[in-house]
Structures are given as C-alpha cells and as structure tokens.
Amino acid sequence: MRQARVRLVGMARHDVKHLVIMRHAEADHPPGALDHDRPLMPRGAQDAAAAGEWLAQQYTPDMIMVSSALRTRQTVTWVCSELGEKAPTPQLVDELYNAHDTAIIAAINHAPEAVRTLLVVAHMPGVLDTVLRLASRESDVDAMMDVSGGFPTSGITVLEVPDDWALLDGGNARLVHFEVPRG
C-alpha cells in the first residue's frame, strides 16, 4: 500500500521531472579488445530490450545521453528499438565513459529545461555513486535499499527532480524506483 501511495503522489506532481539512470547491459570480454570496444553479450541484448520495453511503459525519455562505449551504445540501440517512434535521437557524451558522479551530474546539468524525462546510460561505479549522491532523504526506502545492495547490468533507477537540471547537485532528487529488467 505504501508503494502505491508514493507513486500517486509522484504522478500528481506535474512540475517534477524524471531522471532515469541506467547501467549498460551485460558486456562480453573478448580477448584483446579494448574496454571501450566491448560488445554486449546475447543475454545483454535481451536485457536491454526488456529495459526498453519497461521504459516504454513507465518513463519514456524525451532525451537520452549515452557514453561513447560500444556496450552503452548497443544498450541504447536495443532500448530505442522497444521505444519505437517515441525514441529520441541519443546524444553521445564522451565524458560519460567510465565517468565519476561529478562528470555524470555535470552532463545532466546541461540538459535543456524542456526535457521532462532524461535517460542517462553509463557505467559502474559512476551510476551508483551518482544515484547515491543525488538521492534525498525523502527517497523511497525500499528503492534506496535495493540500489545500495548493488547496481547490476541493465539496472534502472528513477529519480524525481523538482528543480532545474542545472541546479541538480546532491541530495536534491527523490529516488522513487529501482528496476532490473530481464529478457
């Protein structure tokens, strides 16, 4: 019952934006491949498609920022295939590749204010550190516990952002959901 009440409160607030932070899907480790060039495993492709299906039903993004690494680009390709016509053109952001929370937040700070739902696809440990840094004390306790326990591949967090993207810094977004879609 508590979960439903929290969701209704969040849904009733039209002034709140959504920040969706996703870790790339499961990647392969081919011998001799550079980290930047690691492709998705077949299982990763299935999970990325499942993530896209979940996003299409829950939080369709207006804008997507993605690391330039092959595994994140492939993840977003599968996500966008499930979003279909609703999929925005992903923005490659080199600074998101193996970025720390400071660089990820700096990229988010540059999102246009017209964006109501922003999807960022990046890497560990940056995605986890970003979520933990941004999550306010009003965050959903279950979601905080789940994300604190680990951020697996294809994991998705949803944060409510009440202010301008440029003002997002730390402790000023409400973590409302953590999901790990599997294909």
Side-chain angles (χ1 to χ4, degrees):
M1 187 63 159
R2 184 178 172 287
Q3 281 285 60
R5 186 173 53 87
V6 169
R7 297 284 291 163
L8 289 175
V9 169
M11 290 170 53
R13 296 190 54 197
H14 299 290
D15 58 326
V16 172
K17 295 183 284 290
H18 290 102
L19 173 59
V20 181
I21 298 178
M22 179 178 179
R23 182 180 177 193
H24 63 79
E26 185 178 358
D28 198 358
H29 296 274
L34 297 174
D35 181 69
H36 192 270
D37 300 329
R38 292 176 42 219
L40 291 184
M41 302 274 295
R43 170 69 189 219
Q46 293 172 349
D47 292 346
E53 185 178 336
W54 185 85
L55 287 167
Q57 294 171 7
Q58 302 292 325
Y59 297 96
T60 301
D62 302 311
M63 181 177 186
I64 300 173
M65 292 182 182
V66 59
S67 158
S68 59
L70 179 59
R71 60 192 176 273
T72 54
R73 289 182 286 131
Q74 288 179 331
T75 297
V76 166
T77 297
W78 284 101
V79 166
C80 287
S81 72
E82 294 299 321
L83 293 174
E85 293 178 6
K86 297 185 221 173
T89 301
Q91 309 286 315
L92 284 180
V93 181
D94 287 329
E95 294 80 14
L96 291 177
Y97 174 63
N98 284 337
H100 295 284
D101 57 336
T102 304
I104 294 173
I105 293 171
I108 294 165
N109 290 154
H110 288 93
E113 282 309 311
V115 172
R116 303 309 297 166
T117 301
L118 173 63
L119 170 61
V120 176
V121 182
H123 311 267
M124 277 293 282
V127 290
L128 176 60
D129 293 344
T130 300
V131 170
L132 295 178
R133 177 173 164 186
L134 294 177
S136 70
R137 292 181 184 198
E138 292 79 31
S139 293
D140 180 82
V141 174
D142 293 332
M144 276 300 287
M145 294 300 290
D146 289 344
V147 79
S148 296
F151 205 124
T153 54
S154 300
I156 299 172
T157 59
V158 179
L159 297 110
E160 291 181 343
V161 178
D163 297 315
D164 293 347
W165 295 115
L167 299 176
L168 196 61
D169 183 34
N172 55 342
R174 185 170 166 265
L175 177 63
V176 294
H177 196 85
F178 180 68
E179 185 76 21
V180 184
R182 295 292 182 221

